[in-house]
Amino acid sequence: MQRFAALIDRLIYTRSRNAKLHALATYLRETPDPDRGWALAALTDSLDFPAVKSSTIRNLAGTRIDPDLFRLSRHHVGDTAETVALIWPGSEGVEPEDQRLSTVVDALAATTRTTAPDAVADLLHRMDVDSRYAMLKLALGGMRIGLSARLAKTAFAQAFDVSVDAVEEYWHALEPPYTELFAWAADGGPAPDLSAIPFFRPFMLSHPFEGESLDLTEYAAEWKWDGIRVQIARIAGETRLYSRGGDEISKAFPDVVAAFDVDGVVDGELMVRGEAQGADVAGGGAASFNALQKRLGRKTVSKKMLQEAPAFIRLYDLLVDGGTDRRELPWDQRRGHLEDFVPRLTADRFDLSQVIDVPDFEALAELRASSRDAAIEGVMLKRRDSPYLSGRKVGHWYKWKRDPLTADCVMMYAQRGNGRRASFYSDYTFGCWSDEGQLLPVGKAYSGFTDAELKMLDRFVRQNTLNRFGPVREVAKTLVLEVAFDSIHDSKRHKSGLAMRFPRIHRIRQDKPPEEADRVATLKAMVP
Amino acid sequence: MANSKHWIEPHPQGIYVRPADVWIDPSGAQPRAVVTHGHADHARGGHGQVWATRETLAIMGLRYGTDAGTALRYGETMEEGGVTFSLHSAGHVLGSAQILMEYQGERVVVTGDYKRRPDPTCAPFELVPCDIFITEATFGLPVFTHPPIAGEIGKLFDRLEAEPERCVLVGAYALGKAQRVIAELRAAGWDEPVYLHGALEKMCRLYEDLGVDLGMLRSVADTPKEEMAGKIVLCPPSALTDRWSRRLPNPVTAMASGWMRVRGRARQRNVELPLIISDHADWNELTSTIADLSPRETWITHGSEDGLLRWCELTQRKARALAMVGRGEEDDG
């Protein structure tokens, strides 16, 4: 348990991705089964102990500690589990035990609502402070330590020198503590049997299109819809919905999951129904990304939300048809199978992303330039003879995003970055002019500049600071930044009532006086 | 509270001892002041007459250029307006003192800041029996228990060993914490030079002048980057993520403070390696000191006074919180 606790703390305090990978990979290599599997499950939020609730822990604290002292402490610490871990009265002279993680998991799993308080108290009693914290976090679920499933898989692949793609596939096939996965990766055991499991297949990804032209007899064109890329898989009566990173998001979209009742695996764009945006081109009926955002990242979803923002998937590709893997087939054959597959699905939850029908590339370029629809990010170009390949392989798929919009904004605030950028002011909030001549924030960006430009921006912030608010500095409103962004929407996030999608610093316009920066009204006119 | 009839009057700007016309740790300049220790939230420049330990006066001299002052040894007494004053070691930083005052048969102790753990850079805390105990409460919540320092120093060594191509940069307050960390490193057998940010150099030199051996110290400014790989560097907390740190070989940012007990605090400061090392009494020290002394009344000056007050209530001790301003600002744990 102490090793696990040390790992948790290392992951909490380290901001560097590489250091996290290294810490986790080392732990996975050096820890025996089944402990390492339980740890992996805990870190990726795949463990659930329904008998242990946040209230169990709070009530337990109430029996050992004065409620007022607990309340004051909780207020100071800001986290119930951590407060209990710190405050739990250690037994004088009793050396804390270092129980195995699997012993702790077994103890927690064996609890019922009635036995949970005593079981947790018993565990707390035997542990040192850091282990108490790790155990409570484990018991309550939701570690929230900034470790994505993707990062965990990469660390796993790194630990045993196996391919991430294979890890991706097998991962979903297995239940914690993933003993077969470790047997395969660490000890050269047989690959796990996946035949009855709707597991995740790695996505085929695209490169940005930077060429002049393509032959549309070789490449098919599709709209690039502005939702989130998902994969939905069904086999043996079980359906799972996966995000691009391979995280299962079925719980956030029960409407879509329940409606997918044909065996197979398809790739598409998840969106919510909206006011007929995208109606002028094929498909129609999707809302902007902003509307979808309200439904992302939820563990449960209310009836009201299901009604107000019904989700659907616009299908791009078919990977598995019934029980047959179609990934080896060229795109045009898969497309044929997909067109046969879609009519078998519930029409208002699943539709087909149309192939753009244009005579030649010039016509496509023209169409792309004229589309300013909120639900469209640009155009996809897919080679007609490409199989469905995992990852981002050159020459097969291209994304040809709409040209970004740009606006000249004035830097208003700056904040320090993280990790390598901890000593730099690298996150900038910028604004445009209101009709009253006031500068209102319209967005925040932390990319798009070179290292040399970052140094220059950092120097500007330090030399032009007006006020400090903790990590944030307010700067003199003199520097114009040309900001590029994919689209702009109404939003309550900023005072201006606008929010940009994918804003980045395009150019530093030291030549431009701040008065000549854009007006909020100009940006409002860009809202689709 | 200002119109309390007691001969000791707590005011937001300090504690006033009426019969002696003396202020204790006043936050603004006063004609007559007794100062517990050199941290800026207790010692200010510009007083008329000052009483303090020799070390505290030297620290004030370094910081404010004030050399006037009357030095008192621990245990030495002086009398002003019928009040007998004496200073007693507080174990907080070099020269830190509790102030015992006796007037018409009543004994009052003001702790300033204190701790009861051993510290190689200053004299140990002395338990001074009293009727009224005026205590700090920086860590006056039961979540704050400081682990033994050896384990924290061990964490630092472990990290150096794990990543020998990096240096460990420890944020430590210039007065007290920095010297204690160095002395504890020496006690644990670290005999490599310790590298210092410019803002720590003077105080370390003063400690050495006052007889605290810190071993070999070097200035970061005079050292090539590569030399500091695998070494320990100290800076004030404010410099941890400052541009200054770019001259170091990929530093692991560490911070030595009692606040590092709480994960959120460490993360807020972007600290990778939190070291729970404090110059203040933790919860157990605060409560056991009150229990050991069993004063008639406990007055609480600054920190988490609500927590300590509640403990006094639960253990049926008479206590009150004084509203003091600006305390706990400099050394911050």
Side-chain angles (χ1 to χ4, degrees):
Chain A
M1 195 66 198
Q2 287 173 4
R3 281 182 67 103
F4 177 66
L7 173 69
I8 301 281
D9 277 340
R10 191 69 186 272
L11 294 172
I12 287 177
Y13 293 126
T14 303
R15 309 230 172 188
S16 140
R17 183 175 179 274
N18 279 338
K20 283 184 199 214
L21 282 175
H22 179 75
L24 183 52
T26 310
Y27 175 88
L28 293 177
R29 249 194 327 268
E30 294 176 358
T31 308
D33 286 322
D35 296 10
R36 55 186 174 182
W38 290 124
L40 205 51
L43 291 171
T44 53
D45 225 355
S46 321
L47 277 186
D48 190 21
F49 302 103
V52 188
K53 297 250 179 289
S54 188
S55 57
T56 320
I57 312 284
R58 258 198 322 274
N59 294 339
L60 194 57
T63 62
R64 313 284 159 130
I65 305 139
D66 171 60
D68 278 350
L69 283 176
F70 184 76
R71 183 180 47 76
L72 290 167
S73 299
R74 166 72 182 71
H75 182 73
H76 190 97
V77 174
D79 179 278
T80 301
E82 186 169 4
T83 308
V84 174
L86 289 171
I87 218 171
W88 194 260
S91 349
E92 263 318 298
V94 176
E95 268 294 298
E97 289 171 40
D98 190 12
Q99 286 173 293
R100 286 190 63 165
L101 179 56
S102 51
T103 314
V104 174
V105 170
D106 291 345
L108 290 170
T111 57
T112 62
R113 276 280 177 83
T114 11
T115 61
D118 285 343
V120 173
D122 182 56
L123 287 170
L124 285 170
H125 239 70
R126 295 158 183 263
M127 291 177 175
D128 64 14
V129 182
D130 291 341
S131 300
R132 291 201 289 255
Y133 174 75
M135 185 273 289
L136 291 173
K137 283 285 166 189
L138 175 91
L140 293 173
M143 291 263 179
R144 290 174 206 273
I145 54 176
L147 188 89
S148 67
R150 176 79 197 170
L151 199 72
K153 288 167 205 164
T154 310
F156 183 96
Q158 223 171 65
F160 304 110
D161 199 18
V162 289
S163 105
V164 187
D165 287 349
V167 176
E168 288 264 28
E169 291 211 0
Y170 296 147
W171 187 277
H172 298 277
L174 304 165
E175 295 290 322
Y178 314 114
T179 332
E180 294 161 73
L181 190 67
F182 283 102
W184 161 73
D187 310 324
D193 174 20
L194 304 175
S195 56
I197 296 150
F199 65 88
F200 171 75
R201 274 81 171 169
F203 275 104
M204 179 161 180
L205 303 171
S206 60
H207 281 273
F209 178 65
E210 279 158 353
E212 294 285 301
S213 176
L214 276 179
D215 182 350
L216 290 192
T217 59
E218 279 178 39
Y219 284 85
E222 264 182 280
W223 294 111
K224 184 174 178 1
W225 298 97
D226 192 11
I228 60 163
R229 186 93 178 273
V230 292
Q231 181 179 104
I232 190 161
R234 179 184 174 85
I235 195 159
E238 190 190 353
T239 305
R240 293 186 196 167
L241 180 69
Y242 296 106
S243 70
R244 218 192 77 157
D247 291 309
E248 198 186 335
I249 51 170
S250 309
K251 282 189 182 137
F253 298 95
D255 40 356
V256 179
V257 171
F260 193 76
D261 51 7
V262 183
D263 278 5
V265 180
V266 287
D267 172 344
E269 197 82 13
L270 184 122
M271 296 185 277
V272 299
R273 291 287 171 197
E275 287 181 16
Q277 282 166 331
D280 54 332
V281 292
S288 68
F289 186 79
N290 262 29
L292 171 63
Q293 222 154 13
K294 297 188 187 101
R295 286 201 54 182
L296 295 176
R298 292 180 178 273
K299 282 213 155 168
T300 55
V301 53
S302 67
K303 266 203 183 121
K304 184 164 167 265
M305 194 155 279
L306 287 172
Q307 263 164 15
E308 282 175 2
F312 72 102
I313 302 179
R314 186 151 289 165
L315 298 172
Y316 291 135
D317 215 320
L318 176 120
L319 285 68
V320 177
D321 187 356
T324 316
D325 197 323
R326 304 281 192 206
R327 283 180 289 175
E328 294 296 316
L329 295 180
W331 176 85
D332 48 9
Q333 287 189 35
R334 292 202 312 278
R335 178 76 194 182
H337 287 294
L338 178 66
E339 286 173 9
D340 294 339
F341 190 83
V342 173
R344 296 159 62 195
L345 299 167
T346 320
D348 61 346
R349 295 291 181 190
F350 302 93
D351 62 21
L352 189 64
S353 172
Q354 299 294 327
V355 173
I356 304 171
D357 187 20
V358 280
D360 52 31
F361 195 79
E362 285 65 46
L364 179 67
E366 211 168 285
L367 192 59
R368 166 181 167 272
S370 65
S371 77
R372 272 290 163 212
D373 191 287
I376 287 177
E377 256 193 291
V379 166
M380 291 297 299
L381 295 159
K382 297 179 175 176
R383 215 165 86 186
R384 294 178 187 271
D385 61 2
S386 294
Y388 193 94
L389 301 164
S390 74
R392 197 174 266 119
K393 307 278 187 318
V394 183
H396 298 278
W397 284 12
Y398 293 104
K399 56 182 166 209
W400 193 22
K401 286 202 184 181
R402 289 190 306 213
D403 289 334
L405 300 163
T406 61
D408 288 334
C409 308
V410 182
M411 189 197 288
M412 301 177 71
Y413 304 95
Q415 194 172 350
R416 277 177 202 269
N418 290 322
R420 200 171 65 84
R421 285 182 173 180
S423 72
F424 290 95
Y425 285 89
S426 62
D427 299 8
Y428 313 105
T429 302
F430 40 81
C432 288
W433 298 104
S434 72
D435 292 339
E436 291 75 39
Q438 221 194 333
L439 211 48
L440 298 180
V442 295
K444 193 174 174 190
Y446 41 84
S447 65
F449 35 75
T450 63
D451 281 359
E453 284 172 327
L454 173 60
K455 276 194 180 151
M456 182 258 140
L457 288 165
D458 179 70
R459 201 163 48 238
F460 171 83
V461 171
R462 290 170 192 277
Q463 289 170 355
N464 292 278
T465 300
L466 297 180
N467 274 307
R468 292 161 197 237
F469 312 98
V472 178
R473 290 192 181 197
E474 180 182 6
V475 297
K477 314 298 180 303
T478 53
L479 184 66
V480 176
L481 302 171
E482 187 180 325
V483 178
F485 49 98
D486 285 6
S487 58
I488 189 160
H489 305 277
D490 293 323
S491 160
K492 287 183 193 125
R493 197 183 320 158
H494 298 294
K495 226 187 201 166
S496 58
L498 293 169
M500 292 172 172
R501 190 135 145 79
F502 293 137
R504 59 263 180 196
I505 308 297
H506 190 52
R507 272 192 293 178
I508 305 168
R509 295 293 304 267
Q510 277 164 304
D511 56 313
K512 199 158 192 175
E515 310 82 71
E516 290 178 24
D518 278 315
R519 308 173 66 81
V520 173
T522 315
L523 270 67
K524 277 220 164 86
M526 297 181 186
V527 173
Chain B
M1 272 186 214
N3 54 19
S4 150
K5 294 238 170 61
H6 199 271
W7 55 278
I8 299 243
E9 297 174 8
H11 293 269
Q13 66 271 31
I15 290 168
Y16 182 57
V17 187
R18 180 158 295 282
D21 186 26
V22 160
W23 287 85
I24 296 172
D25 289 354
S27 58
Q30 296 291 351
R32 290 150 61 83
V34 182
V35 174
T36 59
H37 66 283
H39 280 141
D41 51 344
H42 294 260
R44 302 275 156 120
H47 301 314
Q49 222 177 331
V50 179
W51 291 271
T53 61
R54 177 176 76 101
E55 293 84 356
T56 299
L57 290 173
I59 290 161
M60 292 173 75
L62 181 70
R63 296 191 143 184
Y64 307 114
T66 51
D67 43 11
T70 310
L72 291 172
R73 283 188 305 277
Y74 291 133
E76 186 182 346
T77 58
M78 66 151 189
E79 204 182 300
E80 291 289 326
V83 182
T84 308
F85 290 80
S86 57
L87 304 187
H88 301 267
S89 173
H92 175 58
V93 298
L94 182 60
S96 65
Q98 310 173 73
I99 297 164
L100 167 66
M101 291 163 285
E102 296 183 74
Y103 180 66
Q104 297 179 347
E106 187 173 61
R107 287 163 65 92
V108 178
V109 166
V110 177
T111 64
D113 292 332
Y114 79 95
K115 72 168 174 293
R116 299 188 66 174
R117 316 265 174 136
D119 178 342
T121 66
C122 63
F125 177 84
E126 183 189 337
L127 199 61
V128 184
C130 55
D131 301 299
I132 297 177
F133 183 57
I134 306 183
T135 179
E136 65 139 323
T138 304
F139 291 112
L141 285 171
V143 285
F144 291 109
T145 51
H146 309 323
I149 193 165
E152 301 304 294
I153 296 288
K155 276 197 227 166
L156 199 163
F157 290 147
D158 287 348
R159 187 53 84 87
L160 272 181
E161 200 180 329
E163 295 178 283
E165 70 294 346
R166 304 176 72 180
C167 68
V168 174
L169 174 63
V170 185
Y173 285 91
L175 167 56
K177 190 68 63 65
Q179 296 77 23
R180 178 169 178 221
V181 168
I182 298 170
E184 291 287 355
L185 288 170
R186 298 306 182 207
W190 183 257
D191 45 21
E192 297 281 343
V194 171
Y195 297 84
L196 298 180
H197 182 283
L200 303 181
E201 288 176 25
K202 273 190 190 160
M203 193 59 76
C204 286
R205 219 168 298 137
L206 179 65
Y207 260 61
E208 296 204 294
D209 291 347
L210 293 170
V212 180
D213 182 17
L214 298 176
M216 200 194 311
L217 303 178
R218 285 204 189 137
S219 162
V220 168
D222 303 336
T223 310
K225 196 174 191 167
E226 317 78 66
E227 187 186 318
M228 292 179 282
K231 302 288 165 52
I232 298 165
V233 182
L234 262 67
C235 70
S238 58
L240 270 181
T241 53
D242 196 20
R243 271 183 297 181
W244 172 84
S245 67
R246 291 180 205 164
R247 69 183 70 195
L248 303 173
N250 191 13
V252 176
T253 48
M255 167 107 175
S257 163
W259 299 115
M260 293 297 109
R261 200 30 136 172
V262 176
R263 286 173 177 76
R265 286 275 189 137
R267 276 179 59 80
Q268 239 169 38
R269 301 201 68 140
N270 257 329
V271 168
E272 252 184 280
L273 179 66
L275 302 172
I276 310 162
I277 299 178
S278 178
D279 289 339
H280 290 269
D282 70 3
W283 172 255
N284 294 331
E285 293 168 66
L286 289 171
T287 53
S288 67
T289 304
I290 298 173
D292 288 348
L293 291 171
S294 268
R296 195 180 76 231
E297 274 182 49
T298 299
W299 298 1
I300 304 164
T301 54
H302 62 284
S304 297
E305 50 269 46
D306 291 348
L308 200 55
L309 208 54
R310 176 66 184 157
W311 180 84
C312 290
E313 193 184 321
L314 289 169
T315 52
Q316 287 156 10
R317 296 168 197 278
K318 199 170 170 194
R320 62 189 271 214
L322 315 176
M324 308 285 278
V325 291
R327 299 302 148 106
E329 274 173 6
E330 193 207 354
D331 69 324
D332 225 31

